[in-house]
């Protein structure tokens, strides 16, 4: 088990390294931040001083090694724009994005699993057909449009929910969270619904497919032949088997929600990481982009690891061991 | 509650049909038999002859589009076809148990053996978890699983196929059922394990008075185990009688063909005899005897539906042209 974890850790380091190189070169190739950052009326001397201050006068490979050397010490560089450490900039906005993403994922599970179970167990009932039709809408309606509609109906017309910002926050573990205050929850509700719509549909479809497949297995029939109550057959025998694919997909979905909930954050002016990265890309703020993507890579690796560990809990046939030598 | 003379199970004119888009599949069509207390009935036939569906009909687990259309299933005098789902659930795994064909598939791969056994105990008995666990352990010991206490903690994939089938049998025995339906339980096992399991099941049935329906396509298994045999073909029982007599002097041409196709020491070197043709599709079965097209003795009379009739004392068959001469010869 510890060998397994060590191997995963080494893999993670390698991936982060490769990622930093690709992003570094990639952002360099896109354009010159100098053109955006330095005012056009600046004279030659000022320009050169600014370029030197940002470290952009060195050749690319040297810039990269400077970056790498500092990164080893936990310094991912200072934002060109905010002149603040990129890492701090990102971490400041991370709680907002995290709570939104987790809120959306939890909502997807709470709503998606029961609906998917129902649709799988009674595939021909009108309600199941309605659920499946609804899930197609959830898949295909564009996020920004749904977000705007939510705002129009619940914020503008009905006036029930606030449409922008995080609302008041409360501190927990040194970070500011919205979900700890009632007002904050009210602020979170609409963006979370907006983000979770796609995920709910996904969970419904996965669950339904899993149920349809599992229900035909001999062990389900045997469980019924043992005289178990239907609730136990479905709740234990079927449910535990369908959780495996659901956990996989929901884990990956959670990762991409954290990383790329840009649209929702923009629509609801949610001060999260998504908005930061879009702004940074616009001004070619390389340290922030690189740091952000490295954090995202680390996060995906962590989520994958958690998913793998969850497998071994859910399915006893999966054993986490280093294979081969 | 019923007298000693009344059989554990009496099936009368059972019909189980599947209503598919292509048409009605008469998987079980007018099947009748009885199983007395402590006796073993061997239900024999090819794949698709309706023997498994018969078993599932009795235990009430025929899934849509299938359904028991008519007939009576009298279990200790109660008609199971009239019971509510909850009454049926209470009988399943309790008074009537079932063992399935493939031991690799019958145990839930993600649940521990103790979970799967204890839940069965608790589904029918108001006992503590500890008591339920005790019973589970005893049942495992009874079917010959070494160190049952430790094995309770194992997952199914940690057992071999034979051991898994023993676990499945132990689960079936938890409540000392009055009837066990075994659906080809030894088909997936190798021959030595098969022998052990057969011997144990036979012993259990004899000591506890449990009636047994043993569904199989393997005549040699039935020969050593069953008291009575019922041969199914295309959803109907075509021949029924005491096992030794049926195997020695089969009356129905299908039974003759079935026995002839079993490899035997007495006919070493001869090619195996086959039954020509294929099992007919149960969809749109032509009228008359279903075996007609493959039968060497069929004639014009077989265009009508042969009724089940007693041809010899204690021997019934559904045939207009039975092998009575051979029976008479050996009898003389």
């Amino acid at each position: 088990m510890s060998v397994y974890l060590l191997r995963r850790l080494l893999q993670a380091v390698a991936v982060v390294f490769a990622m930093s190189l690709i992003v570094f070169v990639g952002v360099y190739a896109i354009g010159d931040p100098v053109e955006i950052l330095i005012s056009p009326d600046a004279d030659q001397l000022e320009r050169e001083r600014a370029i030197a201050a940002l470290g952009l006068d060195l050749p690319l490979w040297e810039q990269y090694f400077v970056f790498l050397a500092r990164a080893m010490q936990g310094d991912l560089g200072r934002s060109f724009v905010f002149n603040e450490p990129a890492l701090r900039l990102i971490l400041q906005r991370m709680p907002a994005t995290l709570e939104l993403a987790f809120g959306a994922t939890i909502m997807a599970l709470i709503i998606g699993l029961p609906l998917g179970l129902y649709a799988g167990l009674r595939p021909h009932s009108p309600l199941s057909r309605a659920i499946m039709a609804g899930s197609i809408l959830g898949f295909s309606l564009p996020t920004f449009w749904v977000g705007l509609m939510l705002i129009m109906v619940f914020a503008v017309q009905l006036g029930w929910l606030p449409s922008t910002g995080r609302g008041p926050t409360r501190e927990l573990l040194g970070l500011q969270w919205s979900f700890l205050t009632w007002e904050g929850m009210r602020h979170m509700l609409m963006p979370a619904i907006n983000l979770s719509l796609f995920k709910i549909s996904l969970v419904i479809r996965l669950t339904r497919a899993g149920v349809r497949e599992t229900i035909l297995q001999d062990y389900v029939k045997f469980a019924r032949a043992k005289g178990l109550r239907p609730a136990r057959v479905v709740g234990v025998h079927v449910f535990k088997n369908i959780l495996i694919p659901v956990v996989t997909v929901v884990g990956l979905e959670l990762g991409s929600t954290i990383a790329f909930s840009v649209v929702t954050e923009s629509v609801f002016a949610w001060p999260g990481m998504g908005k930061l990265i879009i702004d940074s890309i616009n001004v070619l703020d390389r340290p922030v982009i690189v740091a952000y993507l490295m954090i995202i890579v680390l996060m995906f690796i962590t989520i994958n690891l958690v998913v793998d560990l969850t497998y071994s809990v859910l399915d006893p046939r999966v054993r986490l061991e280093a294979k081969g030598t | 509650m019923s007298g000693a003379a009344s059989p554990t199970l009496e099936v009368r004119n059972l019909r189980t049909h599947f209503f598919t888009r292509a048409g009605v599949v008469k998987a079980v069509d007018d099947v009748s038999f009885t199983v007395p207390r402590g006796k073993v009935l061997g239900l024999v036939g090819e794949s698709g002859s309706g023997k498994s569906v018969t078993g599932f009909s009795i235990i009430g687990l025929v899934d849509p589009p299938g359904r028991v259309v008519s007939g009576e299933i009298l279990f200790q005098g109660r008609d199971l076809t009239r019971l509510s789902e909850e009454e049926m659930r209470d009988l399943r795994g309790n008074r009537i148990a079932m063992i399935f064909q493939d031991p690799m598939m019958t145990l839930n791969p993600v649940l521990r053996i103790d979970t799967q056994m204890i839940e069965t105990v608790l589904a029918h008995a108001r006992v503590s978890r500890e008591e339920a666990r005790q019973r589970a352990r005893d049942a495992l010991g009874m079917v010959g699983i070494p160190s049952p206490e430790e094995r309770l903690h194992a997952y199914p994939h940690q057992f071999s196929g034979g051991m898994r089938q023993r676990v499945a049998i132990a689960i079936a025995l938890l409540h000392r059922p009055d009837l066990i339906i075994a659906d080809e339980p030894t088909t997936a096992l190798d021959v030595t394990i098969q022998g052990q399991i057969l011997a144990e099941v036979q012993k259990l049935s004899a000591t506890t008075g449990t009636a047994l329906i043993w569904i199989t396509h393997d005549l040699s298994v039935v020969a050593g185990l069953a008291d009575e045999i019922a041969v199914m073909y295309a959803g109907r029982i075509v021949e029924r009688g005491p096992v030794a007599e049926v195997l020695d002097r089969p009356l129905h041409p299908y039974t003759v063909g079935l026995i002839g196709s079993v490899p035997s020491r007495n006919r070493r070197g001869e090619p195996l005899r086959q039954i020509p043709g294929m099992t007919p599709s149960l969809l749109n079965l032509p009228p008359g005897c279903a075996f007609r097209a493959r039968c060497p003795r069929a004639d014009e009379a077989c265009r009508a539906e042969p009724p089940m009739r007693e041809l010899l004392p204690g021997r019934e068959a559904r045939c207009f042209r039975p092998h009575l001469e051979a029976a008479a010869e050996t009898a003389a």
Side-chain angles (χ1 to χ4, degrees), chain A residues 42-302:
Chain A
D43 60 28
Q44 194 62 25
L45 204 65
E46 276 179 279
R47 263 183 83 93
E48 270 164 24
R49 203 182 304 134
I51 290 172
L54 294 174
L56 294 173
D57 51 342
L58 303 170
L60 182 64
W61 62 270
E62 223 177 308
Q63 288 183 38
Y64 182 66
F65 280 113
V66 170
F67 162 78
L68 214 55
R70 288 200 185 140
M72 297 289 184
Q73 296 153 20
D75 175 11
L76 293 177
R78 295 177 85 82
S79 160
F80 295 159
V81 179
F82 299 92
N83 198 24
E84 265 190 74
L87 198 59
R88 190 164 84 206
L89 215 53
I90 294 164
L91 290 183
Q92 269 172 1
R93 288 155 207 254
M94 202 179 226
T97 297
L98 281 184
E99 66 182 349
L100 193 58
F102 275 100
T105 304
I106 291 167
M107 203 182 279
L109 288 175
I110 290 176
I111 298 172
L113 280 175
L115 291 183
L117 271 176
Y118 182 85
L121 292 172
R122 305 213 187 298
H124 302 299
S125 85
L127 183 57
S128 298
R129 289 177 202 275
I131 291 170
M132 295 321 284
S135 79
I136 293 175
L137 283 184
F139 267 126
S140 40
L141 292 180
T143 317
F144 76 90
W145 184 81
V146 174
L148 291 175
M149 287 300 121
L150 285 172
I151 290 178
M152 214 170 89
V153 174
F154 293 102
V156 177
Q157 307 220 320
L158 297 170
W160 289 350
L161 294 166
S163 66
T164 55
R166 288 180 79 186
T169 55
R170 190 176 290 172
E171 193 174 286
L172 179 76
L173 303 171
L175 297 168
Q176 296 293 324
W177 303 95
S178 291
F179 75 95
L180 294 171
T181 66
W182 173 244
E183 221 12 67
M185 282 290 260
R186 279 176 29 101
H187 278 82
M188 216 172 97
L189 191 60
M190 273 205 294
I193 289 175
N194 193 28
L195 264 185
S196 68
L197 215 55
F198 177 84
K199 277 181 256 297
I200 293 173
S201 312
L202 195 66
V203 172
I204 287 176
R205 295 206 152 243
L206 272 174
T207 309
R208 184 188 116 104
V211 170
R212 301 291 299 143
E213 196 188 311
T214 312
I215 209 89
L216 300 174
Q217 298 291 322
D218 267 4
Y219 56 75
V220 172
K221 203 152 199 178
F222 189 62
R224 289 164 68 201
K226 293 196 295 189
L228 302 184
R229 292 188 167 74
R232 176 145 186 114
V233 175
V234 174
V236 177
H237 286 260
V238 174
F239 193 68
K240 222 183 153 192
N241 277 284
I242 60 167
L243 272 186
I244 294 167
V246 172
V247 163
T248 316
V249 174
V250 168
L252 292 177
E253 258 308 296
L254 175 67
S256 55
T257 312
I258 295 173
F260 310 113
S261 52
V262 179
V263 173
T264 298
E265 290 189 359
S266 305
V267 170
F268 291 92
W270 189 261
M273 297 191 298
K275 218 167 152 346
L276 174 71
I277 186 69
I278 280 296
D279 294 344
S280 301
I281 290 170
N282 279 336
V283 296
L284 292 172
D285 193 347
R286 192 173 66 197
V288 177
I289 302 173
V290 175
Y292 178 80
L293 289 172
M294 283 174 72
I295 289 175
I296 294 305
V297 168
L298 280 176
M299 192 188 67
F300 263 98
I301 289 168
T302 314

Side-chain angles (χ1 to χ4, degrees), chain B residues 230-241:
Chain B
V231 180
M232 280 192 83
Y233 186 79
R236 299 195 175 120
I237 291 182
V238 293
E239 173 154 15
R240 197 176 66 212

Side-chain angles (χ1 to χ4, degrees), chain B residues 32-54:
Chain B
S32 306
F33 58 84
T34 56
V35 192
R37 202 170 168 275
K39 297 288 180 195
V40 182
L41 171 76
L43 199 54
V44 183
E46 305 170 60
S47 315
S49 60
K51 50 197 199 311
S52 292
V53 177
T54 306

Side-chain angles (χ1 to χ4, degrees), chain B residues 277-310:
Chain B
M278 303 226 312
T279 322
S281 158
L282 291 177
L283 212 69
N284 311 319
L285 210 57
C289 176
F291 191 57
R292 193 176 69 211
R294 305 170 74 186
C295 182
R297 301 165 70 95
D299 58 22
E300 281 307 304
C302 303
R303 290 187 180 279
E305 167 87 43
M308 194 73 165
R309 38 188 194 137
E310 190 163 24

Side-chain angles (χ1 to χ4, degrees), chain B residues 82-112:
Chain B
R82 289 168 195 279
L83 293 190
S84 71
E85 178 51 34
E86 176 58 22
E87 287 171 307
M88 208 48 219
R89 183 200 65 73
D90 193 44
L91 283 178
R92 269 184 227 131
N94 186 6
R95 303 326 320 147
I96 306 176
M98 189 153 182
I99 307 168
F100 288 47
Q101 173 169 7
D102 187 352
M104 307 309 262
M105 303 297 292
T106 47
L107 298 174
N108 194 322
V110 302
L111 299 175
R112 283 198 334 217

